[in-house]
DNA sequence: CACCCTA
């Protein structure tokens, strides 16, 4: 108990758990490594189409893990919304959640870009840790749900400018229709 | 579209 670890549990629908785990667990393992948190996904809950996910680690690790999971979840949610956009249109506020999703996905790339090694994300890299575990901002879980802009973006103005370039084609394509297949791969770079 | 990992 030398490390200030805590734990957080959240329920993920069965439809989303596949996206979060990824093929052969590639995505969840990536999340485990980049967040430094222990993530346990229980077997399918009988009766409720939910998988119990337990995240254990430092508060920061938990925040990062939850952020990544939320980003993937939101990406899938946006995709499903686009499928049934003919019925629900954008009145549910997806016009706001959509750019947030792209920001979240790109933030992962920012975290990855912070590491010197392009192949695998090294959690023990000092540069990565200083970026994630900066004591100046403790990421409250509540802000993750309301994700407006990630503090990381404020710390990396250069990265933010490159983000703007990457977001431009997104905004251009978000014309209520025509959002179907190729876009979702950009949402899930893992 | 599904992806099923690790304790």
């Amino acid at each position: 108990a030398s490390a200030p670890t805590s734990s957080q549990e959240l329920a993920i629908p069965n439809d989303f758990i596949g996206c979060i785990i990824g093929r052969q667990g590639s995505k969840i393992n990536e999340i485990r490594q980049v967040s430094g948190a222990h993530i346990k996904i229980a077997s399918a809950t009988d009766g409720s189409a939910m998988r119990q996910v337990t995240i254990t680690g430092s508060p920061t690790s938990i925040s990062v893990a939850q952020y990544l999971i939320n980003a993937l979840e939101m990406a899938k949610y946006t995709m499903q919304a686009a499928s049934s956009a003919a019925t629900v249109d954008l009145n549910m506020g997806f016009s706001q959640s959509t750019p947030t999703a792209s920001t979240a996905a790109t933030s992962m790339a920012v975290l990855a870009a912070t590491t010197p090694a392009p192949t695998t994300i090294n959690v023990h890299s000092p540069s990565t840790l200083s970026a994630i575990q900066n004591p100046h901002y403790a990421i409250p879980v509540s802000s993750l749900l309301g994700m407006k802009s990630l503090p990381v973006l404020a710390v990396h103005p250069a990265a933010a400018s490159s983000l703007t370039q990457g977001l431009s084609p997104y905004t251009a394509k978000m014309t209520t229709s025509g959002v179907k297949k190729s876009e979702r791969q950009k949402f899930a770079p893992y």
Side-chain angles (χ1 to χ4, degrees):
Chain A
S2 57
T5 59
S6 58
S7 63
Q8 179 68 251
E9 287 191 12
L10 59 155
I12 304 294
N14 281 337
D15 290 344
F16 290 166
I17 202 65
C19 308
I20 294 171
I21 292 180
R23 177 137 237 201
Q24 293 177 341
S26 56
K27 288 176 189 168
I28 186 62
N29 283 334
E30 199 79 20
I31 293 178
R32 278 192 250 256
Q33 190 170 16
V34 72
S35 67
H38 285 204
I39 305 175
K40 184 192 175 187
I41 303 178
S43 306
T45 309
D46 190 28
S48 87
M50 294 291 182
R51 300 284 288 271
Q52 202 68 27
V53 177
T54 307
I55 305 176
T56 312
S58 69
T60 309
S61 297
I62 294 177
S63 299
V64 173
Q66 278 198 359
Y67 173 71
L68 293 175
I69 291 177
N70 276 325
L72 289 177
E73 188 174 332
M74 186 163 41
K76 168 122 189 175
Y77 207 70
T78 306
M79 185 180 67
Q80 288 186 344
S83 306
S84 53
T87 10
V88 298
D89 213 51
L90 295 179
N91 290 325
M92 298 174 64
F94 287 120
S95 54
Q96 278 200 344
S97 63
T98 298
T100 312
S102 57
T103 304
T106 324
S107 299
M108 297 191 236
V110 172
L111 291 179
T114 318
T115 25
T119 30
T120 313
I121 297 178
N122 186 3
V123 193
H124 305 290
S125 169
S127 59
T128 307
L129 289 181
S130 61
I132 297 180
Q133 298 183 339
N134 193 319
H136 284 187
Y137 58 86
I139 308 176
V141 182
S142 54
S143 74
L144 289 174
L145 300 178
M147 288 179 284
K148 299 183 178 74
S149 59
L150 201 64
V152 177
L153 300 180
V155 187
H156 300 276
S161 59
S162 60
L163 277 185
T164 314
Q165 297 178 1
L167 289 179
S168 307
Y170 273 123
T171 321
K173 285 184 180 179
M174 286 308 184
T175 48
T176 309
S177 60
V179 181
K180 284 208 185 319
K181 44 183 180 178
S182 57
E183 279 77 7
R184 81 167 231 262
Q185 289 187 349
K186 298 178 182 178
F187 282 126
Y190 277 64

